Amino acid sequence: MEYYFKLFTLVLVLILFGCNSDSDPDPDTPDPGEYTLSEDCSQDTVYFVNDIRPILISYCATSGCHDPVTSEGDMIVVNYNSLMNSNKIVRGNPMESQLYQRITSSSPDLQMPPPGEVPLNTRQIDLIETWIAQGARNNECIGECETENLNYNDHIAVIIKDYCGGCHGGNDPEGGLFLENYFQVRAVGMDGRLLGTIRAQQGHIPMPFYGSMTDCEVDQIAAWVFNDMPE
Ligand code: HEC
C-alpha cells in the first residue's frame, strides 16, 4: 500500500512539475498585453492609447453603454484590460473579433454603435481593423509634438472627431452641445469651455469624460486656440 502511495506521489509531483514548466512564460516572447511606450511614432503602427482609446471612449463609453457605470455586455472600453477580458477581440484576427464584426455589421440588432447613435467612419473602422491585425497591443507612442501653424481642417478636426464626436454629435448630443464642425468647435474655443474642459480646469467638467487627451493633443488645441483658431 505504502509503495503505491509513494509511486502515486511521485507521479503527481512529476505531472505538476511538467505542467508548471510548460506554462512558464517564455522570456523571449513578450506578453502581448504588456504596456509599451515608444519614443517615436511609426507611420505603420496603430497605437492603442493614441489612436484606438479615443474612439472607444467617445463612441462606446457613452452613458448607458460600455462606460464604467453601465458596463453593457461586461465590457468597459476605457480600460485596456477590461476591454481584452471581455473576449470580444481576437489578437491578429479582426474578422474573428466580435468587436470588429459589430462595428462593420449592417444588421440593426448587431450593429455598433446601435442605430440612432453616431456611427464610426471608415477611417476609424480601418484603424481598429489594423490595430487588431497587428495584435491588439497595449501600446503608446510619444513622437514629435507639432504645435506651429495648426488649422482646423488638417489637424484639429480629427482630434475632436475621435475624442468628442461620439457624445457631441448625432441626433441627441450630450449636454445639448454639438462639436461636429468648425463653427461649433470655434464657439467653445472662444467662450473658454474647450480648453477649460480638456485641461480639467476648475469650474469645468473634465472632457472627454472618461480618460483624457495626450499632453501633446492638449498642447496642440491650446496652440490653435491662442492662434485665433484658423480654419
Ligand atoms: C463619453 C461621452 C463624452 C465625451 C467623449 C465627451 N463629452 Fe463633453 N459632455 C458629456 C456630457 C455627459 C456632458 C454634460 C455634462 C453635464 O452637463 O452634466 C458634456 C458637456 C460638455 C461641455 C459643457 C460642459 C462644460 O463644463 O462647459 C463641453 C464644453 C464639452 N462637453 C466638451 C467636450 C469636448 C471638447 C470633448 C472632446 C475632447 C468632449 N466633451 C467629449 C459627455 C462627453
Side-chain angles (χ1 to χ4, degrees), residues 54 56-63 67 78 159-168 173-177 179 185 188 191-198 201 203-210 213 221:
L56 299 177
I57 288 176
S58 181
Y59 292 81
C60 318
T62 40
S63 57
D67 58 310
V78 298
I159 303 178
I160 300 289
K161 174 76 188 161
D162 285 354
Y163 276 97
C164 324
C167 292
H168 292 288
E174 297 282 8
L177 177 70
L179 295 175
V185 177
V188 287
D191 68 19
R193 292 194 293 165
L194 180 58
L195 291 184
T197 50
I198 66 170
Q201 283 166 350
H204 293 277
I205 303 164
M207 292 287 150
F209 215 76
Y210 299 109
M213 291 183 168
I221 292 185

Side-chain angles (χ1 to χ4, degrees), residues 15-61:
I15 291 174
L16 285 178
F17 239 84
C19 285
N20 239 338
S21 58
D22 270 0
S23 61
D24 268 353
D26 179 349
D28 295 334
T29 335
D31 172 2
E34 195 187 325
Y35 170 76
T36 54
L37 178 66
S38 335
E39 281 297 316
D40 300 317
C41 295
S42 155
Q43 289 285 347
D44 304 323
T45 306
V46 176
Y47 296 89
F48 177 70
V49 174
N50 306 69
D51 306 309
I52 303 301
R53 197 175 60 182
I55 302 172
L56 299 177
I57 288 176
S58 181
Y59 292 81
C60 318

